[in-house]
Amino acid sequence: MIDAKLYHRMKTKTIKAKPEMVGEKITVSGWVRTHRAQKTFSFVELNDGSEVSNLQIIIENKTPGYESLIEKLQTGAAISVTGTITESPGKGQSVEIQAERFEIIGEAPADYILQKKRHSFEFLRTIAHLRPRTNTFGAVARVRSQMAYATHKFFQEKDFSYVQTPIITASDCEGAGEMFSVTTLNKENMPKQKDGKIDYSKDFFEKEAFLTVSGQLNGEAYAQALTDIYTFGPTFRAENSNTSRHLAEFWMIEPEMAFADLNDNMNLAEDYLKYLVNHALTKCRQDIEFFNKFIDKELIERLTHVVETPCTRLSYTDAIEILNRSGKKFEFQVSWGTDLQSEHERFLCEEHFKGPVILYNYPKTIKPFYMRANDDEKTVAAMDLLVPGIGELIGGSQREERLDILLSNMDMHNLDKETYDWYVDLRKYGSTPHAGFGLGFERLVQYVTGMENIRDVSAFPRYPKHAKF
Ligand code: 4AD
Ligand code: MG
């Protein structure tokens, strides 16, 4: 029988943060990281996920149950310990727990895979359900949680309203056709129209539906009523990109502001990024130090630099010129009008400017229908924020608020008028200059942790051929 009182537990982080607690009797619960048995006592390193470092527990052999329980104190086992907080004479920790009693809550037999040895990140991806118990993935999860908290804090402090936009949609915001279908039709026997195409009028929504690639269009509707809004939700892209920066399912934060232009948008993006990085450096200090030590030795230096330095801003046209003059051999050569590849984006922020860069005014032909045409008739008021190590972290624009131009853009992109009639209404009634952007949440977490692969900053990553867990 488990003593119910055992569950009145303290997080180790709290104990360590309060030196005045020395002498207090408490109960801690967590998972055994290591156990070393000495002659008359045992050392247990306990971790409850509240911080990266362990809590050391001393269990003397006269503790009740010692003989029978000690062999079950194996790596991975869940235990509860009641004891006294004492100052620790050993190196590397300030306090430890002198156990008075302990309980095995959940055993971990010897075939438990996360023994005290290093596993590759590739291998850990195959045990995504267990990897949060490692130092690295525990730290990623805590930082990710803090970045979500800081996101809400940042926008709420600026009086932006949080809008939850739909996940199922009929529109393809980015126009890239990378959408996952949502259907209840019988896949073995799809209803067909006369021309042989699938008859979606028989489907659940009576039209073709998808998982959304972006909440922006719906976000715009709310910005045209509440002035400043943001979304924060899952988005989906069926692009077959096997890169360290693409997922099929990722989270995006999309602010949208009415009565705002591209400049306001760039300012907001820069403020938001700096706010997040500063929050990571101050509120996640122990985890960031861990990443700096084990994952990326320049992390803290780089992040500190970002907070202190203004982002470089330059036009797409100037960027093309820099790339062409660089003398560097790229896999894809660029010229005015071509889309930038990740190698170009990385060259600009990693080698040329050595810090975050905002590019703006991109060629109209490579951007979606909703972006606002500039007076030169060749470019649109788009912006991308690029950071070293990642490339594009943020993409956004001022939106086309003029009805006639929007309609002709929609024709140019062959958009179905009926699907987007509601979006067009926003230009008919009380249209305003407005702007917004999307920040890829996983790329942000990569950026502040130094983790190289996006598959290691999403708890259960979805990418081609991978939807287990
Ligand atoms: O540049 P994107 O495609 O922009 C939009 O979706 C706009 N509707 C946003 C807006 O203006 N409201 O995507 C925005 C960001 C990218 O900069 C990138 O960080 C991230 O989303 N992103 C991805 N992250 C992970 N995996 C993918 N497959 C991603 N595709 C885009
Ligand atoms: Mg983009």
Side-chain angles (χ1 to χ4, degrees), residues 302-446:
R302 194 167 63 240
L303 295 180
T304 308
H305 175 77
V306 167
V307 177
E308 292 168 354
T309 333
C311 288
T312 306
R313 297 182 187 189
L314 81 160
S315 68
Y316 166 91
T317 305
D318 290 345
I320 293 290
E321 200 162 311
I322 290 173
L323 290 166
N324 282 332
R325 284 223 215 109
S326 69
K328 194 164 162 97
K329 274 268 155 289
F330 293 110
E331 194 185 332
F332 298 96
Q333 240 10 76
V334 280
S335 58
W336 203 96
T338 53
D339 210 353
L340 298 184
Q341 304 290 326
S342 128
E343 55 173 341
H344 309 121
E345 298 178 337
R346 295 186 63 170
F347 171 81
L348 288 169
C349 56
E350 286 166 23
E351 294 178 46
H352 193 84
F353 291 108
K354 299 190 168 52
V357 177
I358 302 181
L359 296 186
Y360 59 87
N361 290 351
Y362 281 74
K364 177 171 146 179
T365 46
I366 57 172
K367 290 294 184 185
F369 78 99
Y370 56 73
M371 292 194 178
R372 190 180 197 278
N374 286 324
D375 292 342
D376 63 12
E377 291 182 359
K378 289 191 324 208
T379 62
V380 286
M383 54 162 253
D384 274 4
L385 190 153
L386 319 174
V387 294
I390 309 283
E392 181 188 336
L393 175 64
I394 290 177
S397 75
Q398 188 172 335
R399 321 304 188 189
E400 187 52 79
E401 85 282 13
R402 297 161 294 189
L403 179 62
D404 51 336
I405 304 181
L406 183 73
L407 288 173
S408 74
N409 283 354
M410 288 173 60
D411 281 340
M412 208 174 80
H413 285 86
N414 287 321
L415 295 189
D416 172 38
K417 288 265 159 53
E418 201 189 316
T419 301
Y420 296 91
D421 59 357
W422 62 274
Y423 186 72
V424 170
D425 270 359
L426 302 173
R427 274 67 181 172
K428 281 193 196 153
Y429 312 114
S431 185
T432 72
H434 62 291
F437 61 78
L439 173 140
F441 191 54
E442 283 75 13
R443 290 190 189 177
L444 169 82
V445 177
Q446 277 189 280

Side-chain angles (χ1 to χ4, degrees), residues 178-347:
E178 293 164 335
M179 318 240 284
F180 289 100
S181 291
V182 177
T183 179
T184 52
L185 291 177
N186 178 357
K187 287 174 210 71
E188 312 296 314
N189 184 19
M190 289 287 211
K192 297 275 169 64
Q193 296 171 332
K194 283 206 186 80
D195 60 7
K197 289 187 179 152
I198 293 165
D199 183 2
Y200 285 105
S201 71
K202 303 264 174 10
D203 204 349
F204 189 92
F205 298 107
E206 294 189 348
K207 54 161 52 181
E208 203 173 0
F210 310 92
L211 294 178
T212 191
V213 297
S214 159
Q216 177 196 322
L217 302 184
N218 304 86
E220 283 184 56
Y222 269 70
Q224 294 305 337
L226 305 185
T227 304
D228 292 328
I229 65 96
Y230 67 106
T231 73
F232 185 1
T235 49
F236 307 85
R237 306 228 173 149
E239 53 190 333
N240 202 358
S241 302
N242 271 297
T243 81
S244 57
R245 287 163 193 84
H246 289 88
L247 288 173
E249 177 178 315
F250 63 99
W251 282 59
M252 188 151 59
I253 294 104
E254 298 185 272
E256 192 72 34
M257 301 176 286
F259 309 102
D261 64 11
L262 188 65
N263 226 19
D264 298 315
N265 210 25
M266 293 195 272
N267 292 342
L268 182 72
E270 183 168 346
D271 286 354
Y272 174 39
L273 176 65
K274 286 182 169 166
Y275 187 93
L276 292 170
V277 171
N278 186 50
H279 186 95
L281 282 171
T282 51
K283 299 287 173 4
C284 312
R285 193 69 196 185
Q286 199 191 80
D287 287 324
I288 297 296
E289 277 168 8
F290 169 84
F291 289 117
N292 195 67
K293 192 163 171 200
F294 294 105
I295 303 291
D296 177 351
K297 298 258 185 284
E298 285 154 26
L299 181 67
I300 292 183
E301 195 189 317
R302 194 167 63 240
L303 295 180
T304 308
H305 175 77
V306 167
V307 177
E308 292 168 354
T309 333
C311 288
T312 306
R313 297 182 187 189
L314 81 160
S315 68
Y316 166 91
T317 305
D318 290 345
I320 293 290
E321 200 162 311
I322 290 173
L323 290 166
N324 282 332
R325 284 223 215 109
S326 69
K328 194 164 162 97
K329 274 268 155 289
F330 293 110
E331 194 185 332
F332 298 96
Q333 240 10 76
V334 280
S335 58
W336 203 96
T338 53
D339 210 353
L340 298 184
Q341 304 290 326
S342 128
E343 55 173 341
H344 309 121
E345 298 178 337
R346 295 186 63 170
F347 171 81

Side-chain angles (χ1 to χ4, degrees), residues 23-67:
E24 269 181 45
K25 195 167 155 176
I26 46 111
T27 299
V28 285
S29 300
W31 294 269
V32 174
R33 282 295 172 82
T34 59
H35 170 210
R36 280 178 295 140
Q38 314 286 69
K39 244 197 192 130
T40 57
F41 63 91
S42 279
F43 279 124
V44 172
E45 293 286 335
L46 194 71
N47 193 290
D48 64 1
S50 61
E51 64 171 29
V52 72
S53 64
N54 301 322
L55 185 63
Q56 181 161 283
I57 316 280
I58 316 287
I59 310 177
E60 299 204 21
N61 60 4
K62 57 180 197 268
T63 311
Y66 188 87
E67 294 305 325

